[in-house]
Amino acid sequence: ILNGKPKMQLLYVMKDQMAVKTPVTTGIFDEEHIEITSGVALGDVVITSWSPRLLDGVEVEAASDIAVK
């Protein structure tokens, strides 16, 4: 999750093989988990690894095993 306004954060999702910066609203959190209360839908592929080259609109490739939780 990228920093944003309080309770409004940003993350990247993969759409059409592109990284798309997406605003999300967060809820409760602890050291390991953050609740996303709005901004992503079931089936969206959230990019969880980070690179300095990860920018909005950059072409990305998914790992072969995508987990849905």
Side-chain angles (χ1 to χ4, degrees), residues 22-54:
T22 304
V24 295
T25 303
T26 58
I28 59 175
F29 63 93
D30 62 24
E31 295 81 27
E32 296 181 24
H33 303 91
I34 300 174
E35 176 187 34
I36 304 296
T37 58
S38 68
V40 293
L42 185 62
D44 283 352
V45 177
V46 176
I47 298 173
T48 59
S49 59
W50 183 85
S51 165
R53 295 180 294 207
L54 180 61

